[in-house]
Amino acid sequence: MSASSPLTVPDDSPFGVHNLPYGVFTTADRPEQRRIGVAIGDHVLDAGAAARSVGALAEPGFATLEAPSLNPLLAAGRPVWTAVRAAITRWLTDEALRAAVEPCLVPRADVTLHLPFEVADYVDFYASEHHATNLGRIFRPGSEPLTPNWKHLPIGYHGRSGTIVVSGTPITRPSGQRKAPADPVPDFGPSRRLDIEAELGFVVGTPTELGSPVALADAAEHVFGVCLVNDWSARDLQAWEYVPLGPFLGKSFATSVSPWIVPLDALAQARTTPPERDVEPLPYLDDRDAAAEPSGFDIAFEVRLNGHVVSRPPFAAMYWTYAQMLAHMTANGASLRTGDLFASGTISGPERETRGALIELTWNGQEPLKLADGSERTFLDDGDEVVITATAPGPNGTRLGFGEVAGRIVPRPTT
Amino acid sequence: MSASSPLTVPDDSPFGVHNLPYGVFTTADRPEQRRIGVAIGDHVLDAGAAARSVGALAEPGFATLEAPSLNPLLAAGRPVWTAVRAAITRWLTDEALRAAVEPCLVPRADVTLHLPFEVADYVDFYASEHHATNLGRIFRPGSEPLTPNWKHLPIGYHGRSGTIVVSGTPITRPSGQRKAPADPVPDFGPSRRLDIEAELGFVVGTPTELGSPVALADAAEHVFGVCLVNDWSARDLQAWEYVPLGPFLGKSFATSVSPWIVPLDALAQARTTPPERDVEPLPYLDDRDAAAEPSGFDIAFEVRLNGHVVSRPPFAAMYWTYAQMLAHMTANGASLRTGDLFASGTISGPERETRGALIELTWNGQEPLKLADGSERTFLDDGDEVVITATAPGPNGTRLGFGEVAGRIVPRPTT
């Protein structure tokens, strides 16, 4: 294999051999045929074709690689996830196997990426203490910024699965009821306070039966991997509607996700201990066992607005972990389905420049952001493009990439 | 056809020829084969077999009757719904056709009924002014009972689709965090305040594209039919968790639905004008056009606890209509998928004995219900069975039935 082989991936590639995220792609010559791909360097490995090429399709669970979405692989469970990941690693590193799978590579620039799995239920959490504190200060000035329940349970709510879209999908500015506190009645029109929320999403693979809570220690048996999430939010719609039953139309118009699902197994070096629990957790949420693998992740996010970095939210600062979110979400007996997606909520760190939403970065619009091009923003203008990326430590000093979740705001057509 | 034909259905049957609700059933001899059935009298018509028997399968859309769930029929759209309903009516009333479909009848007592469609997104509204007022008085004493937004928009939130179960499924008492106002910290254990919510659910058939709101006048193009819903609620979990992002684990453990979907077309005689709008609705919610078909429904509910009627909630008293709920839910451009379910929220009338939840019937447990067997209830005990039924006016003085949504509370197993 020569140094010019597409499989000779430089160490600083976000998609090196230690990452191997899964997605679903099509190519221009077969636009109807969705295929599972694995990102490697600047290429995508057609995973089903590769499995066929090396004669692996008969191995248990490997036929899921020929599906048009990740759901069958997600449903196959951790033993299959581990076996498939180990096999793909071999295909990409063993000299003889590399020759067999090289014809199954497609340049990444030549593929169209799709929503990689069919989303079952979507839950959005509120797991950043800094974000929750900032929003409490903005929305409920004069009260304690954190509600009394905040440190006892990971607050969450169900979002709309049907409007989850893949990165790159244009985001139409939503209309809705807008009412500032001083207005006597609401009016209806395009949101004037369109915002982002930079989040990490967790993709459920192995389902559970109704009545079977998932213990903290079992979280990794059910979670296949992670993606980046932009939970677009119309703050004016949200502020007017959300009491008493929570966010609805302020969120349900669109939620964007990155096309690559990074396996949990790729994040071994990124695991980190979450912040100190300064309120005693109930036993089902108590993760203070120093011997257990920590469930925090040291993932460094970047948020770009029209190309300018406006924030660098640190996932390591999140108070609640994905394992606690999953344990809480199922503590009442609620079942999981393959394809369930739960997201962290906005990732905000302690400093202003690490806040993951414009409402915090601009303090509810009172302190506009100055972009490097000289323009100012409070909330999003039509035409604005938001791109969220992230990296995490991999083995041997490498850094893993997550791809990106991008979206451009388009005005609502006047009909 | 003799008077003893199973198709000679008495006028007072809840499942007469003017109703024709759809469900999905299996029989003991073919337990794996889910089939679409139409309730008629004491029987179920195997709709796919009947279509085959009369040679109708080639008609546009009729092949959907051979599917194992209602989703393909739901997706086929109103022209197909109308044609299929007209055809089934003919099969059941025309002498020659009756002979052809009679072999496709199964006694209703011999079938097992299943969840009739795959639920996409589930939204629960809060459309009863009486219910919202009662809960405001109970949860926020001293404040205005209705939040300022209540008469401007139908408040709603997303629920968990994956835990929607068919009538008859046992309901395991959920555990969760419980904290009375006087407790310093929450504890974890089985809910002590397990409640019901008697609701009407609306099943979406025709989907929409992202960015395409549904106008009030188009609601019937998208809604296939209705079912009964019991939105089980753990009030102690809910009260502690719901600020600021709304209900989550207090609801997500189970939501029961009736197995029969009554077509919107069967409810023509039940349509009624909703209550006066005492706040001017925004144009997209304004249904005060006297020339338009009204979107309220005169459906009389009954709630039985262990066989005793404890409430008779009147759906006609609901402030917000299904058309307003749908217009609002899509006003921000959110798309609809086939199988979306949206429910009305608890149906409560103005009088105590018409309230659709125990928290209202017992005023938060302060005024226990006395059952006819001499026992008392505040919230549900283990072993309690709740059965919700409803009827609506049909043609010629008949009344349509909706079947029932039933569930019995079982204790959480101690593991």
Side-chain angles (χ1 to χ4, degrees):
Chain A
M1 189 82 27
S2 73
S4 67
S5 159
L7 286 177
T8 304
V9 177
D11 279 351
D12 62 352
S13 168
F15 292 139
V17 74
H18 303 297
N19 192 345
L20 302 183
Y22 296 86
V24 168
F25 73 100
T26 52
T27 49
D29 57 326
R30 292 145 75 185
E32 298 303 317
Q33 193 184 355
R34 295 197 178 195
R35 290 173 276 167
I36 293 177
V38 174
I40 179 72
D42 293 329
H43 287 74
V44 174
L45 180 73
D46 180 332
R52 183 170 291 270
S53 173
V54 302
L57 278 177
E59 291 182 42
F62 280 53
T64 60
L65 297 176
E66 292 201 310
S69 92
L70 292 179
N71 289 61
L73 174 61
L74 298 179
R78 183 149 288 286
V80 168
W81 308 338
T82 302
V84 166
R85 181 170 166 81
I88 294 176
T89 304
R90 281 195 309 277
W91 304 345
L92 297 174
T93 52
D94 176 274
E95 192 108 1
L97 291 167
R98 281 169 69 139
V101 303
E102 215 173 87
C104 308
L105 292 172
V106 185
R108 198 137 53 81
D110 293 350
V111 305
T112 300
L113 293 164
H114 301 276
L115 194 63
F117 62 100
E118 295 140 36
V119 184
D121 273 302
Y122 167 47
V123 169
D124 198 25
F125 283 93
Y126 193 54
S128 161
E129 179 175 0
H130 306 292
H131 171 69
T133 302
N134 287 335
L135 260 64
R137 288 200 177 117
I138 289 170
F139 280 131
R140 297 179 293 277
S143 309
E144 274 295 312
L146 288 184
T147 50
N149 51 10
W150 201 92
K151 291 226 166 160
H152 292 280
L153 53 80
I155 292 174
Y157 68 101
H158 285 90
R160 190 162 186 84
S161 311
T163 51
I164 292 178
V165 297
V166 74
S167 175
T169 306
I171 302 301
T172 302
R173 181 178 296 274
S175 287
Q177 293 198 18
R178 310 167 302 187
K179 183 186 166 301
D183 297 338
V185 292
D187 70 353
F188 184 90
S191 170
R192 299 187 184 104
R193 297 160 69 80
L194 185 53
D195 199 355
I196 61 162
E197 297 199 333
E199 309 194 6
L200 189 66
F202 297 89
V203 181
V204 171
T206 314
T208 63
E209 295 290 322
L210 203 60
S212 306
V214 175
L216 279 181
D218 295 334
E221 294 304 307
H222 297 277
V223 172
F224 174 82
V226 306
C227 59
L228 309 182
V229 176
N230 186 348
D231 189 37
W232 307 95
S233 299
R235 301 298 180 192
D236 39 2
L237 278 55
Q238 182 184 354
W240 170 233
E241 76 181 354
Y242 90 105
V243 175
L245 298 186
F248 184 32
L249 296 180
K251 303 278 193 170
S252 66
F253 57 96
T255 305
S256 299
V257 297
S258 60
W260 294 112
I261 310 300
V262 173
L264 213 57
D265 283 342
L267 297 174
Q269 285 79 16
R271 291 210 178 232
T272 187
T273 304
E276 281 285 306
R277 278 63 178 86
D278 41 21
V279 167
E280 170 97 6
L282 281 163
Y284 79 104
L285 292 175
D286 193 348
D287 62 352
R288 297 170 303 168
D289 176 358
E293 189 178 43
S295 289
F297 293 104
D298 173 18
I299 302 177
F301 277 67
E302 274 194 350
V303 180
R304 284 185 176 76
L305 174 51
N306 297 337
H308 310 291
V309 175
V310 295
S311 181
R312 293 194 165 88
F315 192 77
M318 301 299 275
Y319 190 88
W320 296 105
T321 69
Y322 90 101
Q324 289 171 318
M325 296 178 214
L326 191 63
H328 184 61
M329 186 164 68
T330 59
N332 66 348
S335 47
L336 299 174
R337 287 183 295 174
T338 296
D340 281 348
L341 173 69
F342 62 99
S344 61
T346 305
I347 306 161
S348 290
E351 302 86 14
R352 171 174 163 157
E353 62 274 16
T354 63
R355 296 174 187 161
L358 291 174
I359 191 170
E360 294 168 81
L361 286 164
T362 70
W363 210 252
N364 205 22
Q366 296 167 37
E367 304 169 11
L369 271 186
K370 288 181 193 15
L371 303 185
D373 64 5
S375 67
E376 288 196 348
R377 284 294 180 290
T378 50
F379 293 95
L380 295 174
D381 287 350
D382 287 344
D384 280 353
E385 187 187 42
V386 177
V387 179
I388 301 171
T389 57
T391 62
N396 311 321
T398 58
R399 285 198 79 79
L400 311 176
F402 293 73
E404 64 178 34
V405 56
R408 187 181 294 279
I409 308 304
V410 298
R412 162 146 295 184
T414 49
T415 47
Chain B
M1 187 89 18
S2 76
S4 67
S5 160
L7 287 178
T8 305
V9 176
D11 279 349
D12 62 352
S13 167
F15 294 137
V17 75
H18 303 296
N19 192 345
L20 303 183
Y22 296 87
V24 168
F25 73 99
T26 52
T27 49
D29 57 328
R30 293 146 73 186
E32 299 302 317
Q33 194 184 354
R34 294 195 180 197
R35 290 172 275 166
I36 293 177
V38 174
I40 179 74
D42 294 329
H43 286 75
V44 175
L45 179 73
D46 181 332
R52 184 171 291 271
S53 174
V54 302
L57 278 178
E59 292 182 42
F62 279 55
T64 61
L65 296 175
E66 291 201 309
S69 92
L70 292 179
N71 289 63
L73 175 61
L74 298 178
R78 182 150 290 286
V80 168
W81 307 338
T82 302
V84 166
R85 182 171 165 81
I88 294 176
T89 304
R90 281 196 307 277
W91 304 345
L92 296 173
T93 51
D94 175 275
E95 192 109 0
L97 291 166
R98 280 168 70 139
V101 302
E102 213 171 90
C104 308
L105 291 171
V106 186
R108 200 137 52 82
D110 294 349
V111 306
T112 300
L113 292 164
H114 302 275
L115 194 63
F117 62 102
E118 295 140 34
V119 183
D121 273 303
Y122 167 46
V123 169
D124 198 25
F125 282 94
Y126 194 52
S128 160
E129 179 175 1
H130 306 291
H131 171 69
T133 302
N134 287 334
L135 260 63
R137 289 197 176 119
I138 290 170
F139 279 131
R140 295 178 295 276
S143 311
E144 275 295 312
L146 287 184
T147 51
N149 52 10
W150 201 91
K151 291 226 165 158
H152 292 279
L153 53 80
I155 291 174
Y157 68 101
H158 285 90
R160 191 165 185 82
S161 310
T163 51
I164 293 178
V165 297
V166 74
S167 175
T169 306
I171 303 301
T172 301
R173 180 178 297 274
S175 287
Q177 292 197 17
R178 312 167 300 188
K179 183 187 166 301
D183 297 338
V185 292
D187 68 353
F188 184 89
S191 170
R192 299 187 184 104
R193 297 161 68 80
L194 186 53
D195 199 356
I196 61 161
E197 296 198 334
E199 308 193 6
L200 189 66
F202 297 88
V203 180
V204 171
T206 313
T208 62
E209 295 291 323
L210 204 58
S212 307
V214 175
L216 279 180
D218 295 334
E221 293 305 306
H222 297 276
V223 172
F224 174 82
V226 307
C227 60
L228 310 181
V229 176
N230 186 348
D231 188 37
W232 306 95
S233 300
R235 300 298 181 192
D236 37 3
L237 279 54
Q238 182 184 355
W240 171 231
E241 75 180 357
Y242 91 105
V243 175
L245 299 186
F248 184 32
L249 296 179
K251 303 279 193 168
S252 65
F253 56 95
T255 305
S256 299
V257 297
S258 60
W260 295 112
I261 311 299
V262 173
L264 213 57
D265 284 342
L267 297 174
Q269 284 79 18
R271 292 214 177 226
T272 185
T273 303
E276 282 286 308
R277 279 62 179 85
D278 41 19
V279 168
E280 170 96 7
L282 281 163
Y284 79 104
L285 293 173
D286 193 349
D287 63 350
R288 296 170 303 170
D289 175 359
E293 189 178 43
S295 289
F297 292 105
D298 173 20
I299 302 178
F301 277 67
E302 274 194 351
V303 180
R304 286 186 174 74
L305 174 52
N306 298 335
H308 310 294
V309 174
V310 295
S311 181
R312 292 194 167 87
F315 192 79
M318 301 300 273
Y319 190 87
W320 296 105
T321 69
Y322 90 101
Q324 290 171 316
M325 296 179 213
L326 191 63
H328 184 62
M329 185 163 69
T330 59
N332 66 348
S335 47
L336 299 174
R337 287 183 295 174
T338 296
D340 281 348
L341 173 69
F342 61 99
S344 61
T346 305
I347 306 160
S348 289
E351 302 87 13
R352 171 175 164 154
E353 62 274 15
T354 63
R355 298 174 186 161
L358 291 173
I359 192 169
E360 294 167 82
L361 286 163
T362 70
W363 209 251
N364 205 21
Q366 294 167 38
E367 303 169 11
L369 271 186
K370 289 181 189 21
L371 303 184
D373 64 7
S375 67
E376 287 196 349
R377 284 294 180 289
T378 49
F379 293 94
L380 295 173
D381 288 350
D382 288 343
D384 279 352
E385 187 186 45
V386 177
V387 178
I388 301 171
T389 57
T391 62
N396 313 319
T398 59
R399 285 199 79 79
L400 312 176
F402 293 73
E404 65 179 32
V405 56
R408 186 181 295 279
I409 308 304
V410 298
R412 162 147 294 185
T414 50
T415 46

